[in-house]
Amino acid sequence: MIFHSLKITEGMFERVIDLTEKSNLIYSKKNSTGKTTLIRFFLYSLAYPVPSTKNIRFEKCITEVNLTCSMGKITVLRNDEYLEVSLENGCKENFVLPTDQNLFHAKIYGTQNNDLLNNILGVFYVDQEKGWTLLNRGIIIGKIRFNIEQLVRGLSDRSCDDLTKDLRSVKQQLNKYKQMFNISQYQQELNEAENNIVFDTKDEEEQKLLEILNSEITSLEAELKRVNTVIAENNSFKNFIERMKIAVKGSNGESIPVNRDTIIGFDFSVEFLLAKRKMISSKISSLKSKAEKYERSLEGQLQLFKTETLIESFDRNISKIEVDQLSVSNMISSLEKEKNRLNKQITFLTKYNNDVVTSIHKTVMKYAKELDFEQFITPSSDYIFTDDLKSLSGTILHKIVFAFKLAYIIEVQKKINMTLPIILDSPSGREITKENVKAMIDILNRDFSDNQIIIASIFQYDIDEVNVIEIKDRLINELRQQ
């Protein structure tokens, strides 16, 4: 892949950067002039979600990059999430980011291998902030990550997609169970605290009892209303009969007036209804007394909740969660075993009898001898997967990272049958000497003369056929022609 030019447009201003197929040095006499921004614009123009730099928001700019890749010579115009690719034959292809990012990268790099595509940026680009400490796994830039195991699987066509999917699922479950276990431990601490949290749900129980009481009161009040209605109707009936002055004939022919005294059982019926009304009223009174007691209690708890702190509220809510600590602990143990089993299987499939691993290690050893850090590299090819970076000084780590990158580039180029650019942001680290930088540049001149080199720095280097792109004040400084 070769970048030919990059046009950046920001509002009324623009700048066109022309590059050669060989070496290009983005140079300024002082820092903070836009060298890193320009480097990131190259990546941004290739659809990578790189973070903006100070004072320039990439999504507000339009980039137009001309490059040669596996699609041939193309022009890629990026306007925020929209990507338009113009081919040499005049055809155009459109992509929408981030959905089509992998599809676009598959076309320009000429491979459908996602393990390769996901890691290829970390192969040829070294960021000034994190790149010179990124050896074999970690963040390249923004949220874009690099993982050597995945890269090696991609280079050797050893897919572990199903296993990695299972591993991801197990890790997610494990994380959830660990959170549950932490909650159970916190509950235990609350239980053991001197001022123990009340774990019952008194307020809820009282609320339920209050609802039951109110329901009974409502039912009894309806019954009382019915009894009162019957009593009232009885009195009305009695008055009606007396007003009618009705009389009946007795057995001896005498006249007997019909009233409450002569109707058999009338007084008994009335007395029964009065007694029932008294009983219902008494029961309603008793229930209301109990209900008021619960209402006062609930009101008191409500006031308490209003004055409690967030921590007290959190503790009270946590205390209500039912967690079986033993079951959770057993589940964590089981998932840990499954995670280890999957990791071992993935590791075995990645490393065992893999020529790619051997080849990367051999290249690293070659440059280790030339850059004089051979003693820090173990003879075993497994070293390329090392996670022991703490024992390495700044200068040694800087040179090892450089050697690893070159080894990655060689292997990826063999796989995709295309040269990659080598983009280095600030190769002269704080502790790296001029002699070491010169040795690194000599390697690039000698072994990577077919690769396009793009370096950003405040230093000049002895690079073959170098094209110097100087940034004097501001990166985007030309008024756009209408």
Side-chain angles (χ1 to χ4, degrees):
M1 176 184 289
I2 296 173
F3 293 96
H4 300 295
S5 66
L6 173 66
K7 179 180 178 182
I8 309 166
T9 303
E10 183 190 32
M12 297 296 294
F13 292 88
E14 66 181 16
R15 181 161 182 179
V16 178
I17 307 293
D18 293 314
L19 298 97
T20 66
E21 297 182 4
K22 297 295 183 179
S23 301
N24 299 273
L25 175 65
I26 301 170
Y27 169 78
S28 69
K29 293 180 179 177
K30 58 181 181 180
N31 282 316
S32 305
T33 56
K35 298 185 298 299
T36 293
T37 301
L38 178 54
I39 288 282
R40 292 187 183 183
F41 262 122
F42 280 106
L43 310 182
Y44 179 78
S45 69
L46 294 185
Y48 284 107
V50 296
S52 301
T53 54
K54 189 177 182 182
N55 298 328
I56 295 184
R57 295 179 62 184
F58 290 176
E59 68 274 16
K60 299 295 183 184
C61 300
I62 298 173
T63 60
E64 189 175 333
V65 64
N66 294 303
L67 72 154
T68 298
C69 62
S70 67
M71 298 176 76
K73 196 169 183 179
I74 62 173
T75 300
V76 183
L77 184 144
R78 178 171 182 178
N79 187 352
D80 196 9
E81 297 177 347
Y82 175 74
L83 214 64
E84 181 186 86
V85 179
S86 300
L87 306 175
E88 276 188 296
N89 60 10
C91 294
K92 293 181 184 295
E93 293 187 25
N94 297 312
F95 303 86
V96 177
L97 304 175
T99 307
D100 296 336
Q101 180 183 319
N102 261 28
L103 176 62
F104 172 67
H105 286 165
K107 285 179 175 288
I108 63 172
Y109 294 119
T111 177
Q112 302 284 335
N113 189 319
N114 283 328
D115 286 336
L116 264 182
L117 293 174
N118 291 337
N119 292 281
I120 200 165
L121 181 62
V123 168
F124 67 80
Y125 167 64
V126 181
D127 181 61
Q128 70 161 352
E129 295 176 359
K130 300 171 182 175
W132 293 103
T133 57
L134 173 58
L135 186 65
N136 47 19
R137 51 183 81 82
I139 295 174
I140 304 167
I141 185 172
K143 295 181 180 179
I144 308 172
R145 303 187 70 86
F146 177 81
N147 180 277
I148 189 172
E149 284 85 359
Q150 192 179 28
L151 175 67
V152 166
R153 288 195 294 273
L155 290 169
S156 50
D157 291 322
R158 297 185 178 189
S159 174
C160 291
D161 288 350
D162 291 338
L163 288 171
T164 53
K165 183 179 178 182
D166 291 344
L167 181 60
R168 198 159 47 243
S169 174
V170 167
K171 285 180 177 177
Q172 289 173 348
Q173 291 181 57
L174 192 55
N175 184 52
K176 290 178 182 177
Y177 277 107
K178 285 182 176 178
Q179 296 296 335
M180 290 170 63
F181 188 76
N182 290 338
I183 290 173
S184 70
Q185 284 190 314
Y186 189 66
Q187 284 181 328
Q188 188 174 354
E189 291 176 9
L190 291 175
N191 274 321
E192 293 171 357
E194 183 177 355
N195 297 320
N196 200 3
I197 299 297
V198 179
F199 291 128
D200 58 13
T201 54
K202 182 180 176 182
D203 54 335
E204 293 178 352
E205 292 177 359
E206 290 188 342
Q207 184 63 45
K208 289 178 181 176
L209 289 172
L210 179 60
E211 291 173 359
I212 293 172
L213 287 173
N214 285 333
S215 176
E216 290 183 15
I217 290 170
T218 301
S219 176
L220 288 171
E221 286 179 338
E223 177 68 11
L224 181 62
K225 184 178 179 181
R226 190 183 66 80
V227 170
N228 283 332
T229 300
V230 174
I231 290 173
E233 289 175 350
N234 279 353
N235 287 332
S236 296
F237 177 72
K238 180 201 71 176
N239 294 332
F240 173 75
I241 293 296
E242 289 178 347
R243 284 199 302 274
M244 292 295 292
K245 298 186 183 300
I246 298 173
V248 296
K249 186 182 286 183
S251 57
N252 296 324
E254 72 277 20
S255 176
I256 304 173
V258 179
N259 54 41
R260 65 178 299 167
D261 296 328
T262 58
I263 296 175
I264 298 173
F266 182 84
D267 287 340
F268 175 76
S269 176
V270 172
E271 289 173 0
F272 172 77
L273 289 171
L274 291 174
K276 188 173 183 178
R277 182 174 67 178
K278 185 176 180 181
M279 182 183 68
I280 293 173
S281 297
S282 176
K283 196 168 184 178
I284 290 174
S285 177
S286 174
L287 292 176
K288 283 187 173 180
S289 177
K290 289 182 180 179
E292 288 174 359
K293 180 181 175 183
Y294 287 129
E295 286 173 348
R296 286 195 297 271
S297 177
L298 289 169
E299 181 66 24
Q301 291 179 48
L302 182 62
Q303 292 299 323
L304 176 63
F305 297 156
K306 287 179 181 177
T307 58
E308 69 184 0
T309 65
L310 287 175
I311 291 178
E312 290 168 340
S313 175
F314 176 79
D315 287 350
R316 184 170 55 78
N317 290 321
I318 284 291
S319 69
K320 295 177 182 177
I321 300 173
E322 295 183 3
V323 181
D324 185 338
Q325 191 176 96
L326 180 59
S327 297
V328 172
S329 178
N330 290 336
M331 185 57 74
I332 289 173
S333 177
S334 174
L335 287 171
E336 289 281 8
K337 290 178 182 175
E338 179 63 9
K339 186 185 76 171
N340 291 336
R341 186 189 70 78
L342 290 169
N343 272 328
K344 285 181 180 177
Q345 197 169 351
I346 292 171
T347 300
F348 178 79
L349 290 172
T350 302
K351 300 179 181 178
Y352 179 71
N353 199 23
N354 193 329
D355 292 339
V356 170
V357 175
T358 307
S359 182
I360 291 175
H361 182 264
K362 184 178 178 182
T363 302
V364 170
M365 286 299 290
K366 170 188 168 185
Y367 291 123
K369 291 176 183 175
E370 186 167 349
L371 295 173
D372 194 25
F373 62 87
E374 182 182 5
Q375 65 275 26
F376 295 96
I377 308 296
T378 61
S380 169
S381 59
D382 273 357
Y383 179 78
I384 69 170
F385 301 104
T386 184
D387 56 4
D388 179 22
L389 304 184
K390 295 180 180 177
S391 60
L392 304 173
S393 70
T395 301
I396 298 300
L397 180 58
H398 197 96
K399 292 193 289 187
I400 290 180
V401 167
F402 182 71
F404 267 66
K405 294 288 181 183
L406 299 184
Y408 297 154
I409 289 170
I410 290 171
E411 294 304 317
V412 172
Q413 289 182 160
K414 280 194 264 180
K415 184 69 179 176
I416 64 175
N417 196 29
M418 181 176 72
T419 58
L420 291 171
I422 300 175
I423 303 177
L424 307 177
D425 195 352
S426 304
S428 300
R430 293 178 181 176
E431 300 177 28
I432 198 81
T433 63
K434 289 183 179 178
E435 291 73 21
N436 282 320
V437 174
K438 182 179 182 307
M440 291 161 59
I441 296 296
D442 288 345
I443 290 174
L444 292 178
N445 285 332
R446 185 193 65 216
D447 296 346
F448 294 87
S449 57
D450 291 334
N451 294 75
Q452 184 181 42
I453 310 294
I454 302 174
I455 296 176
S457 179
I458 57 172
F459 300 103
Q460 299 273 6
Y461 301 108
D462 185 16
I463 309 173
D464 293 344
E465 303 176 35
V466 65
N467 169 44
V468 178
I469 302 161
E470 185 169 3
I471 302 175
K472 294 182 177 178
D473 47 4
R474 187 172 181 271
L475 173 59
I476 309 172
N477 56 1
E478 299 166 358
L479 191 61
R480 185 158 60 96
Q481 295 182 355
Q482 299 298 317

